Every structure is written in structure tokens, then in C-alpha cells.
Amino acid sequence: MLCFSVFFALLVTAKLIDFERKQDLSGSVAQAGSQLAIAPQTRPNPLANSPYFTSLHFANEHLPLGDKQIEERMMSFLEDYSYHRVRSYQIHDLAVKSLPKVAKILESYGIPQDFKYIPLIESGFAKNTSSHKGASGYWQFMPATAQAFGLTVNEEVDERQDLTKSTHAAARYILSLYDEFENWTLVAAAYNIGSGSLRNAMEKQGEDNYFRLKLNKETSAYVYRLISMKEIIEHPDQHGYLNEKALLASL
């Protein structure tokens, strides 16, 4: 009887020790899980407070700094265009060949140079590029828009495929959008979504800041993509590209 009592006491003690260990372990796991869960929210933003990040802009309109969602969105697009992701200098090579001609034409119309990156975004400066909606050419004009701004588009001739002529047409279109919106960033958005759709979104939301407008996925990314394209061309070393492959200030 005494042996049984001793055995029983030892068994109870062992169970209690095992229970306490499990409680300690589960508490540690829960604490670690809690720390992991909040880590992404409390991790410092490496670019948001840097002089480089605060310099980012499109046509001299800067990002609304202090808005975490906007800052993280911008960093995400910059990462997408970095050498770490792209692993190619093809974009830079295309820029060397075609950007100077586009830049010169836009300058003659008084249009900010940041618009010269639209063909890189729209078509990659590839001739005969067409979308499923019917947009085509370097600037991805729809037929009606191309014709409205002076291009010939028919079964025999498609001047959307002519870089010089289509860039002049794009410049005229961009200026017409500026007459309506009087803001270059909104002009870039309107170029993508159409002036009517952008105007409706602005009126419904009571908002005239592109970065705070709720637009479709493609248009809400459009200016971020233009800024990212500009940055990897003009500041390649900030994004993993070698300086000898960079475009210089002459572009």
C-alpha cells in the first residue's frame, strides 16, 4: 500500500511538471507568433525617410509623403523594376535608341519630359504592338483617337507605327488633356483611362489628387510605373544597375 502511494505521488508530480512545461512552451510560441504578426507593421521603412525617396515625383508633383500605403506602393513598383527583378539592360538599350527623339518632340510642345516614358510603359518601343482592345503603335492609340489628333489609320496606312508622327499626335493629345485637367499627373492618368472616366471618378469621390483616387487596377498603377521607369533610367545605381549602362542627363 505504501509503495502504491509513493508511486501515485510521483506520477502526479510528473504530470504537473509536464503540464507546466507545456504551458510555458505554448506561452512562448504564442508570444513569438504575436511578435511575428506585428513585425511587418513595425519594421522600419528603409526609403520613406530618405532624401532619395522624398525626391520622387512625376512632372514635379511629389508623392504625398507620410501616407504609408502610398509609400509602400511606390517601393513595391520600384522593386519590380529593379535589376534584382528584371535581370536585363534591355529597357536601358531601348531608351538609348528612342528616348532622345521622343524627348525632343515633347520639348517642342512644352510637355514635361517625364511623359517620354509612356512609350516604354505602353509598347516597350516595339513597332506593331497591339492590345486586345484595338490600341496599337508606340503610344498605343485607339484608331479614333489617333485620327482625331492627325494620324492616318486605314487598311493601307497606319501612322501609329511611325514613331515621329505618333509622338507629335501624342503631344497634341496630351496638351488637350492638360487643357481639361490642368494637372500633369491627372493628364497621365487620363491618357490611360480616358478623360471621361477619370472625370467621373473625380466627381464621385470628390478628389483631385491622383495618388488618393480609387481607380481601376491598371490606372491606379500607371503613374507609379512611370515614376519607376524614370528612376531606373535616370538613377540606375539606386536600383542595382551598373553606371556604365545608365542613360546620362542628355536624355
Side-chain angles (χ1 to χ4, degrees):
M1 185 69 179
L2 179 61
C3 291
F4 176 78
S5 298
V6 172
F7 173 76
F8 181 75
L10 290 172
L11 180 62
V12 170
T13 301
K15 291 288 186 181
L16 286 172
I17 292 172
D18 184 55
F19 176 76
E20 289 175 354
R21 286 176 177 174
K22 289 180 178 179
Q23 288 292 95
D24 290 341
L25 180 60
S26 63
S28 299
V29 170
Q31 184 178 6
S34 176
Q35 291 173 346
L36 287 172
I38 65 173
Q41 298 175 357
T42 59
R43 184 173 53 197
N45 184 327
L47 281 179
N49 297 317
S50 70
Y52 170 72
F53 189 80
T54 58
S55 73
L56 299 180
H57 65 87
F58 181 81
N60 289 322
E61 181 175 346
H62 290 260
L63 299 169
L65 296 176
D67 187 314
K68 187 174 181 179
Q69 185 176 4
I70 292 173
E71 292 171 354
E72 290 184 347
R73 187 170 174 79
M74 187 71 257
M75 286 194 297
S76 175
F77 280 99
L78 288 171
E79 174 65 15
D80 286 343
Y81 282 85
S82 69
Y83 183 76
H84 173 72
R85 291 283 182 86
V86 177
R87 297 288 181 182
S88 168
Y89 285 93
Q90 183 179 8
I91 293 174
H92 292 79
D93 293 339
L94 288 169
V96 168
K97 295 174 182 176
S98 301
L99 278 187
K101 180 183 292 187
V102 172
K104 186 175 181 180
I105 293 172
L106 294 180
E107 183 180 14
S108 71
Y109 286 85
I111 294 172
Q113 288 295 290
D114 289 356
F115 281 88
K116 68 188 176 187
Y117 296 104
I118 285 181
L120 274 173
I121 293 292
E122 292 285 350
S123 66
F125 279 116
K127 193 174 183 179
N128 296 317
T129 301
S130 298
S131 73
H132 67 281
K133 294 181 179 180
S136 186
Y138 297 100
W139 290 84
Q140 288 293 284
F141 275 121
M142 294 294 288
T145 306
Q147 292 168 339
F149 289 92
L151 296 179
T152 299
V153 180
N154 55 43
E155 294 181 358
E156 298 179 354
V157 178
D158 187 349
E159 291 183 337
R160 294 177 295 178
Q161 316 307 327
D162 184 298
L163 181 58
T164 299
K165 291 181 179 180
S166 65
T167 300
H168 279 285
R172 291 189 287 270
Y173 180 37
I174 289 168
L175 286 181
S176 75
L177 292 173
Y178 187 77
D179 287 340
E180 179 177 355
F181 293 99
E182 298 183 341
N183 174 278
W184 291 116
T185 305
L186 291 175
V187 167
Y191 188 94
N192 179 256
I193 196 176
S195 61
S197 296
L198 181 61
R199 178 64 63 189
N200 289 338
M202 291 170 61
E203 291 176 353
K204 287 181 180 179
Q205 297 174 40
E207 180 62 71
D208 62 0
N209 187 313
Y210 164 82
F211 296 102
R212 301 194 188 284
L213 278 167
K214 295 178 181 178
L215 303 167
N216 66 59
K217 184 177 181 180
E218 180 181 343
T219 308
S220 66
Y222 198 69
V223 175
Y224 290 94
R225 293 177 65 200
L226 286 171
I227 294 173
S228 299
M229 182 65 74
K230 177 180 73 168
E231 291 305 313
I232 69 163
I233 298 299
E234 297 183 4
H235 305 286
D237 55 315
Q238 294 279 357
H239 306 283
Y241 296 89
L242 299 177
N243 280 324
E244 55 264 31
K245 288 285 187 177
L247 291 181
L248 302 178
S250 60
L251 292 179

